[in-house]
């Protein structure tokens, strides 16, 4: 399994055993703003998605690995929602499906329905 490179970051804030990692954004929020020239946690998730989704077990070596696992599960859920249609969805239909998924309530770690 490939682990998060953000496990090595010093002074990362954490909330309930999950790291608050830097992201590239122009909107202020609780997460620190990442440098535009560097990959953020979402880039890392997309880079490691194929490799890590094939593993049955994943050893958590740091708090950033928990974030990586949740994001990989979310990407997997997004792909499942898009591919559930019999035909290849148009870009607009896929966008609407993913937007609906993003605003629906979802299980978080600790919930009984969390995968």
């Amino acid at each position: 399994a490939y682990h998060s490179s953000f496990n090595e970051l010093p002074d990362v804030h954490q909330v309930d055993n999950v790291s608050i990692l830097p992201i590239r954004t122009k909107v202020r929020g609780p997460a620190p703003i990442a440098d535009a020239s560097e990959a953020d946690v979402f880039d890392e998730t997309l880079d490691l998605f194929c490799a890590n989704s094939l593993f049955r077990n994943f050893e958590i070596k740091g708090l950033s690995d928990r974030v990586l696992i949740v994001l990989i599960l979310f990407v997997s859920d997004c792909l499942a929602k898009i591919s559930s249609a019999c035909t290849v969805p148009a870009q607009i239909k896929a966008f609407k499906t993913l937007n609906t998924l993003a605003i629906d309530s979802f299980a978080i770690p600790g919930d009984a329905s969390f995968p």
Side-chain angles (χ1 to χ4, degrees), residues 9-82:
L9 285 179
D11 301 327
V12 174
H13 295 294
Q14 62 181 4
V15 174
D16 199 23
N17 276 341
V18 177
S19 296
I20 305 293
L21 299 174
I23 57 175
R24 275 195 321 254
T25 183
K26 294 179 181 168
V27 179
R28 287 190 55 196
I33 296 175
D35 186 17
S37 63
E38 296 179 10
D40 65 355
V41 66
F42 301 116
D43 294 328
E44 182 179 57
T45 300
L46 295 176
D47 288 343
L48 299 178
F49 174 76
C50 289
N52 281 343
S53 61
L54 298 175
F55 286 101
R56 179 174 284 230
N57 298 323
F58 187 84
E59 180 186 358
I60 298 173
K61 292 191 175 182
L63 298 177
S64 300
D65 283 342
R66 293 179 193 272
V67 176
L68 184 64
I69 291 169
V70 171
L71 289 175
I72 285 174
L73 290 173
F74 182 73
V75 169
S76 178
D77 197 23
C78 289
L79 292 174
K81 293 285 184 191
I82 291 175

Side-chain angles (χ1 to χ4, degrees), residues 59-115:
E59 180 186 358
I60 298 173
K61 292 191 175 182
L63 298 177
S64 300
D65 283 342
R66 293 179 193 272
V67 176
L68 184 64
I69 291 169
V70 171
L71 289 175
I72 285 174
L73 290 173
F74 182 73
V75 169
S76 178
D77 197 23
C78 289
L79 292 174
K81 293 285 184 191
I82 291 175
S83 67
S84 65
C86 295
T87 60
V88 177
Q91 184 176 1
I92 303 242
K93 184 176 180 188
F95 178 78
K96 287 180 181 179
T97 302
L98 292 179
N99 194 25
T100 302
L101 176 66
I103 61 174
D104 281 347
S105 62
F106 56 90
I108 58 172
D111 289 347
S113 60
F114 186 72

